[in-house]
Each structure stands twice: as C-alpha cells, then as structure tokens.
Amino acid sequence: MNRYLKLVNFEFNRFFKLYIVLVIVTIIMQIFAVIVESRGYMREAKNVIYGDMMSKADFIKNYEAFTMQRVVQSNWFYWSIALCVVVLLIYVFFIWYRDWLGKNSFIYRLLMLPTARLNLYFAKATAILIFVFGLVALQLLLFLIEMQIMKWIVPAEFRVDLPIKEYTDFNYLSVILPGSLIDFLLFYGMGIVAVCVTFTAILLERCYLLKGIIFGISYGLVSVGFFLMPLLIDTFVLNNYFFPVELFVMEVIAGIIVLIGAVWIGNYLLKYKIRV
Amino acid sequence: MQGGIPMIEVKNVTKKFGRKEVLKGVSFTAEKGQITCLIGINGVGKTTIMQAIMSLIPINSGEIFIDGSKLTKDSYEKITFIPDTITMLPQMRIGDAFTFMADFYQSWNQKRAEELLEFFKLEETERISELSKGNTAKVNILLGLALDVDYLLMDEPFSGIDIFSREEIANVFTSHLIEDRGVIITTHEINDIEHLIDKVVLIDNGIVLKEFHVEEVREKEGKSVIDVMREVYEK
C-alpha cells in the first residue's frame, strides 16, 4: 500500500474513537428530536381535539400536518448538526497541533518518514474529508430511520410524508446536503479550499511562530479576498456586469487558484521551513 | 564525500533563532563506522545541529551532505535521529510502534527489533505512556537501532535516566547493533562513553572549538577527552 494511503489510514484511526462518540451522540440527539417533536405534536393534537372539541380536519387545517420539517427545525436536531460542524472545525486545527503540543513529539517521526512531506498534508486533508462525508452519509441514513420513527408515533392522517429533498432545500441543511451536483461540487469544493487554506495558515504559524500568526491570518484574509474578488469587483466596480454563469466560472477558477496556492505554499513550508 | 569516504558533512552552517545566532558557521564531518561525539555545555547548539542535519529545522546558511548528497525523503531510509524525547504516540503499545515502523520504513528490521526488545528486557504489549523514563529512552533507541540505516544521530541518550538503564544503553555501543554504522551522539555524560567514541567535536557559543580523534590525542598527547575539554574551555 502506498505511504499516502497508509498515512490516511493512520490519521483516520487516530480520530476514530472520538468520531464514533460523535456519531453516537448525533444519533441520540436526532432520534431524541424526532421523538420529542412527534410526541409533542400528538399531545397538542390530543389536547385540542379532545379538550377543545376540534375536529381532526380543523386541527390539521389550523395547526398544519406534521412533517419532518418540524424535526429538522427543532433545537435538538439543529444542535446535533452544529456539534458535528464545531467538532470537525476544531479537528482541522487539532489534526496538526496534536503532533507538536504537550508531551507528544510525534512530529519528529512524521517529518522523518521516507515519503514526501506533502503526503502528510494530503493525508490529513483526506482524513478530514472522509470524516465529513461519513457524517453526511450518516445524516442521509438517519433521515430514513427518523422518518420511520415519525411514522410510528404520528398517524398517517396527521402527517404529510415528503421526500428528503423537501426538508433540506430551504434551510441550513441545503449546505450539508446540496440539492444538485453543481451545488455539491461548489459547496464541498469550497470546503476543501477552506481546509487547505487553514492547513497552510497553521503551517505558517508552526514555521514562524509569533510572526507566523500574523502571516497565517494575513494569508487567510488574502486567500478569502482573492476568492471573492470576481464577486466583489462585479458588485462594487462593474455594477453587475457579468452574467451569473460567467461569475460562477470565475469563482471556480479563483477557487482552483487559491487551492493550488495553498498546496504549493504548504509543500514549500513542509519541505524547507518547518521546525519540530 | 571526501576521498570517497562515506560521511556526514556539515559545512559552514549558521542558524538564528530570532536575533540570537545559535550556530555561527559550524563545520565538521562524521564518518561512517565511527562514533562522533558533539560536546558542549547546554545551549551551544548541539541539538540544533542534529535537527538541521535531519532537516527538522531550517538553517540560515551553509550546506549539509550525507554521503555527498543533500538530504531527500529517501535519505530517511539511511539516516535516523533519536531525539531525547519519544517519537511515538504515548497511547501506542511497543508492538504498535513496531507495526508503524514496518509499515513506513523499508529499512525496518523486525528481527533486530525483537533482538533489541530482549536486550532491553521490554515486552511488545507494554504501553509507551506507562513506561518509566529509562524504558522510554530504551524504546526510543530501539526504534532507531532497528532501522538498517547507515547513520544514527542520538541526542542525549543518557539524559535523566538511572545508572542501570544508562549502562544498558552504553552496552549497545559495544554490541554488533552499532557495527559499522556512523553515529553522532551528544551527551553530558562523557564518562559513560569516553572509551567508545572515535571522534570529538567540541562546540561552544555556536562555533566548533576543536575537532579531534580520541585515539590520536590519547596516544600522542596522553590526554583524555575530559583533559582536552578542560584545556579548551579554560582558554
């Protein structure tokens, strides 16, 4: 097996236990969200129908039929997603810093591996991507389970069963579960660029320490500025001169340039400037 | 390589940390098949030199050659560094560390690793985080020695460990485990290995004060390493 894949496997295993905990917590929170929301709805229905003597039809007319949308918008569901996002965001930093900090001097070993140091960079980025896609796949699977639980609690006459896409199109989930291939490539492409820019900023800090913090932040800002440049120029200088499709192409090109720049600088730093 | 002799050559290396110049044009050679000892008080740049040789820190100027070539990723199959801190994850068992090394290094010699394990009286099932300081140092040395490399760089292998562990580690130098490899070692405990070393590089304040072969000085001038050190540092 080539050393890059071995490194990916190694990085994956290092986070695996924590990842499993995150997966379990997510499952518990989301299933809890379905149960709480479904039971809450049915309790309300019972109170209104039996207490206020309202017909089922009027109740559904006044209170709307139950859909997964209600679950998706609940706090428990929202926080489960936020938890995953926050943990992975922290891990983007932790995946590098843990090799330097504390009693751990594993960075010596990593830098002395007989493989291109850029493989460390790619392996860490790949591990992050695997974790992200793992959670996305889990979410899709959880939707099916959650819909089934919802069906057990809420009778058919009180609910409307819509396809998953309907719940994810008009809220924060549209970023995690994009509705089209173009959106998927765009959102996750931007995610990959953001991870690489962050990795390079971290390496700048590791190479130049205090000065590196300034370099890292400046580099991050320049990258974001460069990426947004077509949009900014079009909006503020050219007064919406370009067609959306032209802007889209320019944004993709800008993203690719930022990505190549991040990897190139990362490679240079790992090769010539890194310190243990 | 000078005259075709395999060696590590450090040429005019300078290194600054901020405004402080730690290495001010350090030059020396360490031949394969010899034990070269870098001696100097704390903070003179001994560890920095080793890190520079392994490309673990950038240098400001100068050149470093291993057998006539600059260090590349493939060089890590023929030169290794044993720092004074464990280079494996603390949660790993010794056996896991072996698997890691075997996965990444073609030069990993499992037979030798097992031999060293027995030599140091350690068990594969022991977790690194639960080892004593002395045993941690032994595992660190083991991981370096079990690689079939031409050069070994050892930074303070006797630092902070008990006398028995120190003896065990010193015994490595007289065993077949070192054989004809080139070793660069830094130590404060010169007494423990004075009889083992071939060459000494005395460093002070970022410069090489003196470079000499121990046997030559002993035979021609009747002086020990410590005598020479005293002479040089008192000047």
Side-chain angles (χ1 to χ4, degrees), chain A residues 56-116:
Chain A
K56 277 183 189 175
D58 283 343
F59 173 80
I60 291 165
K61 201 174 154 192
N62 290 334
Y63 289 82
E64 289 187 351
F66 190 87
T67 66
M68 273 297 283
Q69 189 70 30
R70 205 159 158 150
V71 176
V72 166
Q73 285 170 343
S74 70
N75 279 340
W76 282 98
F77 196 96
Y78 174 79
W79 286 114
S80 75
I81 301 284
L83 178 74
C84 292
V85 171
V86 169
V87 168
L88 286 179
L89 281 179
I90 292 171
Y91 197 64
V92 168
F93 289 87
F94 188 61
I95 201 169
W96 284 102
Y97 282 107
R98 67 179 169 185
D99 292 327
W100 269 276
L101 303 181
K103 281 184 182 175
N104 200 342
S105 33
F106 193 60
I107 191 64
Y108 277 95
R109 180 58 57 207
L110 289 179
L111 294 179
M112 291 193 294
L113 290 177
T115 181

Side-chain angles (χ1 to χ4, degrees), chain B residues 19-124:
Chain B
R19 286 181 190 166
K20 195 183 173 200
E21 197 169 21
V22 179
L23 304 178
K24 302 168 184 170
V26 168
S27 299
F28 69 91
T29 58
E31 288 84 19
K32 191 168 176 256
Q34 292 195 349
I35 298 176
T36 303
C37 190
L38 302 186
I39 298 178
I41 55 165
N42 280 338
V44 295
K46 302 186 298 285
T47 303
T48 308
I49 292 171
M50 294 215 170
Q51 291 173 343
I53 293 171
M54 297 305 289
S55 193
L56 296 173
I57 51 158
I59 53 174
N60 295 99
S61 65
E63 287 175 310
I64 297 165
F65 298 101
I66 292 136
D67 292 344
S69 311
K70 290 203 172 179
L71 188 117
T72 64
K73 64 183 170 67
D74 299 323
S75 307
Y76 295 114
E77 293 280 12
K78 67 186 237 176
I79 180 168
T80 197
F81 177 40
I82 304 167
D84 61 348
T85 172
I86 188 82
T87 58
M88 277 292 161
L89 296 176
Q91 65 268 28
M92 276 182 171
R93 292 179 193 281
I94 295 175
D96 298 333
F98 282 10
T99 309
F100 179 90
M101 296 297 280
D103 270 352
F104 286 96
Y105 290 90
Q106 285 175 358
S107 55
W108 178 252
N109 185 330
Q110 182 66 24
K111 213 173 144 194
R112 183 181 284 163
E114 281 159 16
E115 190 187 341
L116 278 156
L117 205 63
E118 207 175 316
F119 183 89
F120 286 133
K121 301 176 193 76
L122 294 164
E123 297 287 335
E124 269 195 52

Side-chain angles (χ1 to χ4, degrees), chain A residues 225-242:
Chain A
F226 186 84
F227 180 69
L228 294 177
M229 205 163 55
L231 271 178
L232 296 174
I233 291 174
D234 186 56
T235 310
F236 297 111
V237 182
L238 301 172
N239 293 321
N240 301 320
Y241 174 79
F242 292 114

Side-chain angles (χ1 to χ4, degrees), chain B residues 149-216:
Chain B
V149 289
D150 294 337
Y151 298 99
L152 277 163
L153 275 55
M154 303 169 101
D155 190 19
E156 301 286 355
F158 306 108
S159 164
I161 57 173
D162 63 80
I163 188 158
F164 302 110
S165 300
R166 218 184 285 175
E167 269 176 17
E168 274 184 77
I169 293 170
N171 286 340
V172 166
F173 290 91
T174 50
S175 72
H176 67 288
L177 296 163
I178 291 288
E179 279 171 347
D180 56 351
R181 308 195 204 192
V183 178
I184 301 182
I185 184 170
T186 68
T187 182
H188 289 110
E189 322 288 340
I190 189 71
N191 292 328
D192 289 331
I193 56 160
E194 188 183 347
H195 59 292
L196 304 170
I197 52 185
D198 300 294
K199 188 175 176 182
V200 169
V201 180
L202 283 180
I203 300 169
D204 192 34
N205 203 19
I207 53 167
V208 173
L209 293 179
K210 193 176 171 104
E211 190 178 347
F212 61 94
H213 283 92
V214 178
E215 200 59 42
E216 223 172 270

Side-chain angles (χ1 to χ4, degrees), chain A residues 5 11 23 71 73 98 112 123 133 142 175 178 208 225 247 255 269:
Chain A
L5 292 177
E11 289 292 345
V23 164
V71 176
Q73 285 170 343
R98 67 179 169 185
M112 291 193 294
F133 287 132
L142 268 178
V175 179
Y208 300 101
L247 265 180
L269 294 171

